[in-house]
Structure formats: structure tokens, C-alpha cells
Amino acid sequence: MLGGGGGRGAAQVGVLIALFEAGVHAPTEVLGVSVGALNGAVIAGRPSLAGAQLLHRLWLSPQARGVLHVDWVSLLLGRLRGGAPSALPGANLERLIQHYVTMTGIDQFEELTVPLRVLATDIARGELREFGAGELSPALRASAALPAVFPPVVIDQVGYMDGGVIDNLPIARAALGGAGVIAISVMAPDRMDHSPMGWAELAGRVLQLSLHHRMLAEFATLPSRARVCVLCPVLPARVGWDMRSELVEWVIEASRLATLALLQREGLGLLDRAGVHPFEIGIV
């Protein structure tokens, strides 16, 4: 299971590469939210080390670098046409997802090697909607449509936004099947050496703390028989909005090495036991 976190999702790539390198079995199902849905689509299509390495290349692509690029002309035209308010155009996400489709040749849920479940928020009903069949692209865009950052996505006349609004790491939903679950959360807070500076940094910190502690509260309610192992690479606060290739590459490699060190220290049995495991990946 892969949770949301915007550009912090690069850390999931490093963790996934490390898991496959360590010999962890391929998943029998993938559940993804927001950026975790995008990462999950690649792994569900290619559930192997080769798939994780393909995901690595996707994160270093021009389409990934441009996903947070502000196109002022497109935004202005969207406003004039009465489009939904958003800081970034939806076309940014569309280009990234289309690049994934081009790389893999997969554009339908049914073409994936293992089942993928993608969660998005139904804006009108105020509840989670699960997608697992049909065309991939609309579901992935809907799941990653962070409010005010990307515009909502309309599917069958229903508006959707980021699934993380309701549940950024739905471990209780994933645990319903009774099998062991490995979840990767990228919202574990680091220890800041200063108070947040400005509204944007403060809002980001509040969101991060809220999502992480919601996950911890949900984990505490799971039955004792639920084998949910949550891996939480702890990232520097500045990671998330800067998609420069050198920073993304650093996050992926640092997360890979930190995950391998954790598994070497604790053993692969760690993944078969219930627990939440935050681990530092270093500093930029």
C-alpha cells in the first residue's frame, strides 16, 4: 500500500527498489492514494525490481520535472473559461500519466499484472471512491488532484479530488483481506531546526502532522491479528515541491540505502509483523 505525499513520493521509489533487492516477494495486490496511486500503477504493471527501476526512470523524466511547473497562460485561460481554481493546470498530471502509459503500454486496469485499487474523494458525497476497473488515466488523475493545487477531475459526471483528503494511508481498508500488508508512508515528520517560516511552510507542516498522526491513530485501532507493517522514511521538510532531477535522485537513493540498512539491522521478519517503523534517510 502506497500513501500520498506529492514530490515526497520519490522516497517510495527508493523503498520499493530496496524491498525487491532484498528479495521481498512481489505484491499480490496494490492499493494506492494520490502519488501512491501513480507509483502503484507502475508496480502493479511490473511487480518486480525491473518495475521499480522503471518507476525510477519515470521520476527522472521531463514530465515528472514539469508536474509542478506553473503555466501562467494556461491558468489564465482556464480562469477566463470558468475553470475550477487551482495553482497548477491539470495538464501537468495528464502529461506525466500519459508518459507512463507510453512507457508501459498499459492504459486499462485489466491489463495490469496484479490488481490495483485507486482511491479518490467524491467531492459531492464527501466519501472515498475506489477505482479498480476500466481506464487508468482518469482514476490516477482523480486520486492525485490535490485541492487548490490541481483542478478536480470529472468521471461519469462526478467530481473527484485527492483521495488523501479523507484517508492518506488507508491501512484499515488494506487489512480487510487478512493477508500481510506492507505500507509505505512518506508523511512522517522530521525534527525541524526552526519554526515554519511563512504561510506555505506552516500549512505544509500542519498537513504533514495531521496525516501522519491520523495514520497512527488508525493503526492503533487495528485488530491484533492484522499484520500491517508501515515503513516511514523520514524526509527533510524541504522535500516535496522541488522536482529537480538531482534532488529526486538523492531522495530515491537515500531512501533505498536507509531501507536496506533497516532490513539488515532488523531482518526481513520485520515486514511480517505489525508495526510502524520511521527511519531517517539523512539530510540534503
Side-chain angles (χ1 to χ4, degrees), residues 50-107:
Q53 291 168 339
L54 175 67
L55 183 57
H56 187 174
R57 294 198 296 275
L58 180 65
W59 271 83
L60 296 178
S61 68
Q63 291 81 2
R65 289 196 300 274
V67 76
L68 298 180
H69 174 69
V70 180
D71 183 342
W72 295 107
V73 174
S74 296
L75 283 177
L76 179 59
L77 289 175
R79 297 293 187 275
L80 293 175
R81 294 166 181 162
S86 63
L88 300 172
N92 289 10
L93 271 177
E94 291 177 19
R95 283 191 289 267
L96 177 60
I97 294 169
Q98 184 55 49
H99 184 53
Y100 154 75
V101 171
T102 301
M103 290 176 72
T104 63
I106 298 172
D107 62 2

Side-chain angles (χ1 to χ4, degrees), residues 111-189:
E111 295 170 350
L112 296 167
T113 302
V114 299
L116 170 69
R117 293 189 286 158
V118 168
L119 300 181
T121 298
D122 182 326
I123 300 172
R125 293 179 177 270
E127 60 188 27
L128 280 177
R129 160 79 187 276
E130 185 174 299
F131 294 89
E135 191 177 359
L136 265 172
S137 178
L140 296 179
R141 286 190 289 114
S143 185
L146 185 64
V149 177
F150 293 109
V153 175
V154 177
I155 302 175
D156 296 331
Q157 301 182 319
V158 177
Y160 294 95
M161 60 184 174
D162 197 307
V165 170
I166 291 181
D167 198 345
N168 195 57
L169 194 76
I171 51 180
R173 180 183 291 251
L176 289 176
V181 174
I182 299 175
I184 306 174
S185 170
V186 293
M187 298 306 287

